[in-house]
Structures are given as structure tokens and as C-alpha cells.
Amino acid sequence: MSHAIHEVIEPLSAHLRKAYPNKSLEHAFQRWYAEMRFGKSGHANVTHHFVDGPGDLGIDYVVETQTGFVVLQAKFSQTSLDVAVPMHWYKNFEAAMDHLVYATDDDAFERWLNGSNKMATRDLYRRIRDAYAQRRQVRFVFLTTRPRGRGTEERYRIEAREEVAYLWSLHQEGLVAPFEELNLDLRKVQIHKTQTGRLLTAEVRIREILLAMHGSRAEGGAPDRLFDQNVRSYLGSSAPNRGIVASYKGDPDSFFAKHNGIYLIAPTVTKFSGRSRWHLRYPSVINGAQTLWSLYTSVNRDDLNNASVLVRVLETTNRKSRDAIIAATNTQNAMQTSALLAHHESLPEVARRLDGCAIFLERQQKSWVNQYRSALSGHRPVKVKEIIQWSRAAASRKELGSLRAKVAQYMLKESADDALHPLVRSHAGVEAARLFVCVAAGLLARRVPGRLRAGGGLGLSSREAARMQKEAQVASLLLVHLFSQAIGFSETSRQSMVHVLSERYEMEIPDALLIEVRDAMRIARRAQVRSDLDFSNFFKSDERVEALARVLSTAPRRKRMRDALARWCRRD
């Protein structure tokens, strides 16, 4: 990975210019790193302070978290990428650290502080000093695109070209930085060379990983990040997960023999000199998440025992190798087919575009409930499976039955490619409209059953309203198709849907549109009765649902729905 920065620096620079057009590359780099590592300002009680410039006193950026501060000095180089950081850069940063928190003489601190002509900067530095005095967390990071050289990592963290290149690779996948580091006492280590990296197999006391998770939480971090490259988050108290906890508590001596173990990947894995401890920088658990989460949530920190587990550590940055391992090893709890699409190449761009409309694309199974719901309270979650179903339903009426009855076949990579690639092929025009139109139609169809159940001014008895609610749930993909066709796929439609999604108008479904849905459901019920099938099985047949879609897609009905949707979009 040491030379990856040469391939990274050009696309990273292009991204910085586009994402932060009003900042210099140096300042944009600071902001990108801070957001990548700690979250955007306002998310999860994180606040960013840009202080670089005249009077910064040797500090560029400060990130304020729930538990303290991260103080950052950054050097963004586009050239000299093989030349180590000069010692005086580190010395200047160390001098700022000494003045800011380590100097015991308050008068000396104030004299140093007078070197800044910015009152806001002075106030921020005083708060950092007070936090350190109160034993709150104050961390220092030196960031550079050049080799690390001879910095003092015992005093501050150095993020050099290797880490920047790795963070960029995660950024391209739409992932946040994983867990910072693990220090593990590995016993009976065996080292194997693979085509994509170095593999260590060993025994480890599982408490070491669990204590690191607890420590991260106590310091205001996110233990969830240890699993960000996995395809699913904690699945809850499933039967296998309950069995893991019972085995750990009841028979710790046999735990090693009964469980598959933990599989970690990390871009760098190094051994402490003369010791059995190994350092993993930016590790991620790609198999064993259920074991760790089950024990983390069910066993108190003080009750952790010395049960051992097999651990495999792959030192690699190869995405294909990681994805192959995930697919091959996640078998203890049943794996949803759609979960294996978490790292599909089109999804980061889909996620970025939807995030601009306050929609969270849940790529990692259960991550919305476990991690993001509280941090992104203004967002609405959408699953990868829904995106694929909605996009295909919006485009064609010929597979509406299969999309419901044979979901797994549409989650295979080839089929997913057909659905996802067109959604991100361009930023404007018909192709770009597909993403926003199908998502708006899907969210609208998701909302319809509850509105039908409420009845409103639709002239429905309570019994018919309850029945129609269930029918609309079964027919949801047909509704996505009808709504999408009524909206259309023009550039004007795309702009309208971006506005609609951003303003959350799907919560305000007009009665005129519900009347069209009510009438469509009644026609569907009559068609189902003639087919001598129950309603659910009727909607598993491509042929029958396609015929019904043709009946419902009359020009007058499309116009009435289009007019209702225009009012819904506030375009009339």
C-alpha cells in the first residue's frame, strides 16, 4: 500500500476541488479528512472548527466531540510524495501542543495565546486547555500525504500517505473510516502469504476485542465502525446469537472449539518488537460480527471471561479479496442475498445522491436501526433491495410478479448491475431522473397503505379500508410502476422529484391520488376474483400483473394521476 498515494492524489485533488470549491486544496483536505474520520458538523454532536491561517499558532483544524477535542495539523502535498516529513514540521506541531495543554504556567499559555489576533480562536484554545485540565479527551493528529518520517507517535497520531490512500479507497465505496486500531495479544501465530496480502491465524482472548469496543464507546467513539466493511450490522437476539452468549457464559473453556472465530482485515498489521502483541491500524471485522455484538450487548464489561477464539487477520487493501471472504464466511446466521450487494460499485454514488435528499441508503443490513437512526434523525431509510425493485418496476411492467415472488434472483450481481448502473450513469436527463423518480414513487407507494387504512374522504367502510390497506401492500410494486409512469422521466421530472424528496412531500398524499389508487385496487380485486387465485398469489404472476397494469394505464387515468402528482409536487 505504500505507493498507493501516487494513484490517489489526482482523483483526491479533483474531488476536493469539486466538493469544496471555495477552499484551497490544503483547507479542503483538512475538511475532507475531518468529515471522513469524525463525521460532518452537526452529526452525532460533532462540531468542526477551521482555524488555519494567520494567528493559528501552529494548529489547522479542531474537531469537537462529546468527550473532548481532536487537534489537527495537516500538510497536503501533491508532489514530493516519496520524501519524508521534515523534522521541523513535527517540532512546530509539538511546540503548539506543549503551549496548548502541557504547559503548567497559565501566564505562559496566555502570552502564547496573544499571538493570535482572532478572539474566536483564543476562546476555542482556552476551552481545549480547560478540557485537558478536567481530564477530558484531547487528541492530536498530524496529517500528511507524504511518508511519516521520524514523528513521535507516542505523543500524537500520524496519518501519513498510507492512511490517506486507504481512507480515499473507503471514501470511494461510500464508507466512513473504520475503527482506529486494535492491539491484540495473539498466541500460536501462523503467517501465510496470499496473492492479495499476508494472513495471520492465531488464538486471541475475545475479551481483548470486546474491551476495545467498550473503550471506544467510553471515549465517545463508535464501536460500530469496527464492522463498517461487513455487509450487515447486529441482527439482534437470533437463536444462533443466543447460543453464542450461552456458550460464552456457561462453558468458556470450550468456546474456542464451538465457534467459527473472528475474521479481521486491516491495511497495516505490525508486531511490537520482542512481544506477542500485534497492532492493527484501521481494522474491520468482516466475519464474526454477530459473535462480538452478541457478547458486547449481553455481557457486562466486568463479567468478561478469558474464553479464547480463533482469529484470522488479513493484511490487505484488496476489495475483491475482502468481498469474496465475506460471501464465503458469513453462514452462521442466515444471510440475505441482498446483503452481499453492500459493496456494489454503483451504490456509493446512489447513496451520495440520495443523501442530498435526506434519504439514507441502508447498504449494511440493520445499520439504520443499530447505528444511524439517531445520528440522521431527519433522514428516511431505503434498502438496497427496494432500490432494485423500484427501479425495475418503474422501468417495465413485464416482471412485476417476479420482482415480488423471486426477489433473490434480482439481488444477484448481474441483475443488480442492470438495475443499478443506469441510475448513476449521468447527473442530468432521463437516466439521472430514474433514480429520483423510482425512489419518490417507492416512498409514495410505501405510504399509501396507511392512508387507505385511515379512510379519509374515500367513502370506505372500516372493513373495506382494512382490506384495501393489505391489498395495497401486496400491490406496492404495481403502484410504483403506475406512479413512475405518471411522473415521467424527463429532466423536469428529475428536478421536481429532487425537490419533493428534499421537502418530504411524500407525507402529504393528495386525496385525488388516493381516489385513483382506491379505484385501481377495486379493479385489481375484480381481476383477481376472475383468475380464481387469492390476491397475494395473483400478484406473483408476471402475466396477470402485466395484463392488469395495461388495464390500469389508460390515458385518462394517467392524466388524472399526473395532475394529482403535480399538485403533490407543488408544480401546478
Side-chain angles (χ1 to χ4, degrees), residues 345-474:
E345 57 268 25
S346 293
L347 290 181
E349 182 60 25
V350 172
R352 279 190 282 269
R353 296 188 192 187
L354 293 182
D355 182 65
C357 295
I359 294 173
F360 173 76
L361 179 62
E362 187 177 39
R363 300 163 61 188
Q364 185 190 45
Q365 188 181 348
K366 292 284 187 179
S367 62
W368 172 253
V369 172
N370 291 341
Q371 293 173 250
Y372 293 104
R373 182 164 55 185
S374 58
L376 301 175
S377 57
H379 281 53
R380 293 142 292 171
V382 172
K383 300 180 185 299
V384 173
K385 180 182 78 171
E386 291 176 316
I387 292 286
I388 292 174
Q389 288 179 305
W390 293 347
S391 66
R392 296 189 79 115
S396 172
R397 64 186 178 215
K398 292 184 178 180
E399 53 186 350
L400 292 173
S402 295
L403 281 169
R404 182 172 182 272
K406 303 175 183 177
V407 177
Q409 74 179 24
Y410 291 94
M411 303 301 122
L412 300 176
K413 188 178 186 308
E414 293 76 13
S415 184
D417 288 347
D418 293 340
L420 294 172
H421 286 329
L423 299 181
V424 295
R425 202 165 283 155
S426 67
H427 279 81
V430 173
E431 288 185 332
R434 288 186 59 181
L435 172 62
F436 300 103
V437 170
C438 77
V439 170
L443 291 174
L444 184 59
R446 183 195 284 178
R447 177 68 174 160
V448 161
R451 288 294 311 276
L452 289 173
R453 182 67 180 88
L458 302 180
L460 300 175
S461 67
S462 59
R463 181 176 179 180
E464 186 178 11
R467 178 178 180 177
M468 195 166 286
Q469 175 193 24
K470 295 178 180 178
E471 291 171 343
Q473 291 170 339
V474 171

Side-chain angles (χ1 to χ4, degrees), residues 25 27 43 45 53 55 164 194 217 226 228 313 318 327-329 350 385 388 432 476 480 489 518:
L25 277 179
H27 294 170
H43 285 188
N45 297 313
V164 172
T194 72
R217 178 73 72 191
L226 189 57
D228 267 348
V313 180
N318 186 281
T329 57
V350 172
K385 180 182 78 171
I388 292 174
S476 63
V480 170
F489 298 95
R518 177 200 65 188

Side-chain angles (χ1 to χ4, degrees), residues 33-40 46 63 70 139 180 225:
Y33 171 83
E35 291 181 347
M36 183 71 186
R37 288 288 289 110
F38 306 104
K40 294 183 178 180
V46 172
V63 181
V70 180
R139 300 171 54 205
E180 275 196 359
R225 287 190 168 190

